[in-house]
Amino acid sequence: MRPDSFYAAVGGHDTFVRLVDEFYRGVAADPVLRPMYPEEDLGPARERLTMFLEQYWGGPTTYSDQRGHPRLRMRHAPFKVNPDARDRWLLHMRAAVDSLDLAPLHKAELWDYLERAAHSMLNTFED
């Protein structure tokens, strides 16, 4: 971990675990998003997202070490990511970001990335 990274500045592993745990609390009860997660419990998805976000923000490279290049669009291609799914994802992620005690600048930087990422995952406009 780089000591000057965003990852370190926001509290490292514990912060990303809290973010992802809160996000998946919303997903677990969402009738549109929950079916996109084939595992019985959301543990594997939670672990993958935590590793990905940690790596993206300057933390450990565990995601790439275990899974290779993120290839986010390819990994999401099997799922219908329409505007409704995107907006639901953003709703749960917004609640998760807001649950953290981040400095305003860090919160804005994190949200900017998550919002752009969600928009980039759109792969259909069909219902």
Side-chain angles (χ1 to χ4, degrees), residues 29-81:
D30 191 293
V32 171
L33 298 182
R34 182 61 182 97
M36 293 185 189
Y37 297 89
E39 291 99 352
E40 278 301 308
D41 79 47
L42 292 167
R46 182 178 280 122
E47 184 178 327
R48 290 188 299 269
L49 181 57
T50 301
M51 289 187 308
F52 171 77
L53 290 172
E54 287 181 318
Q55 178 173 306
Y56 180 87
W57 291 103
T61 59
T62 311
Y63 184 94
S64 288
D65 295 345
Q66 290 183 7
R67 298 179 54 82
H69 189 280
R71 300 185 311 253
L72 293 181
R73 285 193 53 83
M74 184 204 77
R75 292 184 195 273
H76 289 82
F79 306 102
K80 187 190 312 186
V81 183

Side-chain angles (χ1 to χ4, degrees), residues 11-124:
H13 179 73
D14 291 343
T15 297
F16 285 93
V17 167
R18 287 195 323 271
L19 173 72
V20 171
D21 283 352
E22 185 62 30
F23 169 71
Y24 278 110
R25 265 191 275 288
V27 168
D30 191 293
V32 171
L33 298 182
R34 182 61 182 97
M36 293 185 189
Y37 297 89
E39 291 99 352
E40 278 301 308
D41 79 47
L42 292 167
R46 182 178 280 122
E47 184 178 327
R48 290 188 299 269
L49 181 57
T50 301
M51 289 187 308
F52 171 77
L53 290 172
E54 287 181 318
Q55 178 173 306
Y56 180 87
W57 291 103
T61 59
T62 311
Y63 184 94
S64 288
D65 295 345
Q66 290 183 7
R67 298 179 54 82
H69 189 280
R71 300 185 311 253
L72 293 181
R73 285 193 53 83
M74 184 204 77
R75 292 184 195 273
H76 289 82
F79 306 102
K80 187 190 312 186
V81 183
N82 62 18
D84 182 42
R86 175 205 59 209
D87 292 347
R88 288 167 178 269
W89 191 94
L90 285 168
L91 176 75
H92 300 303
M93 192 54 83
R94 181 81 247 183
V97 170
D98 288 347
S99 76
L100 300 175
D101 186 27
L102 298 180
L105 193 57
H106 289 141
K107 183 184 274 193
E109 187 175 354
L110 177 59
W111 182 247
D112 179 64
Y113 167 75
L114 293 167
E115 199 169 33
R116 285 184 291 114
H119 286 282
S120 74
M121 291 300 120
L122 274 178
N123 59 23
T124 187

